[in-house]
Amino acid sequence: MKKITYILTITTMLQAMFAYAAISKWMDFSRFRAAMLLQPIPNQLAHALVYILPPIEIVIVALLFKPFVKYGLWLAALTMLAFTLYVGFGIAGILGHMPCSCGGIIENMPLGMHLVFNLIFLTLPIVGIYIYLKEKRKEVQQK
């Protein structure tokens, strides 16, 4: 399989996940907002994240199209790293009670499964970045 097909598969999976997460939050906004306000973070930050997270997820979806794939992969990786660390801290008991504010079917996952899910979706953009950079190096060498 060509490297481009791998990147297309990775970006499509990421786009589906981030679009689903954003749309789920917007479709049940009052529930998302209530769950965010129960998070073990400062209330002002929770209020801001209610309005910032869904648009960031949509921006990631848009950036995962050409010619911005590189930026979309980096932003997806950073976002998933933050989400994964947050869930990891919750499992470790560092943050106390953590209601899931992810939206849709993702919010029904136990924290352990949520961590595995996040690790998979953290790995995808990292692999995509690796393939992307490898292909770009190859193009430079061929010139």
Side-chain angles (χ1 to χ4, degrees), residues 29-137:
F29 188 76
S30 59
R31 181 184 214 168
F32 166 60
R33 185 176 180 277
M36 282 300 295
L37 294 175
L38 293 173
Q39 297 299 318
I41 58 176
N43 221 20
Q44 287 181 326
L45 177 60
H47 277 287
L49 288 175
V50 164
Y51 297 99
I52 293 171
L53 283 178
I56 286 174
E57 291 167 336
I58 295 301
V59 166
I60 292 170
V61 171
L63 288 176
L64 287 168
F65 287 104
K66 282 186 175 183
F68 307 107
V69 172
K70 174 176 72 171
Y71 305 108
L73 289 169
W74 278 104
L75 187 54
L78 291 172
T79 303
M80 287 311 302
L81 177 62
F83 291 163
T84 303
L85 288 172
Y86 187 70
V87 171
F89 288 152
I91 289 173
I94 295 170
L95 298 175
H97 177 69
M98 264 181 48
C100 186
S101 57
C102 298
I105 60 170
I106 299 169
E107 74 182 346
N108 295 321
M109 291 181 187
L111 275 182
M113 184 182 288
H114 202 303
L115 182 63
V116 170
F117 177 88
N118 281 16
L119 287 169
I120 291 167
F121 278 89
L122 171 59
T123 303
L124 287 173
I126 292 170
V127 169
I129 291 165
Y130 173 78
I131 293 169
Y132 180 87
L133 292 175
K134 193 173 178 181
E135 286 300 301
K136 287 299 175 188
R137 269 188 244 122

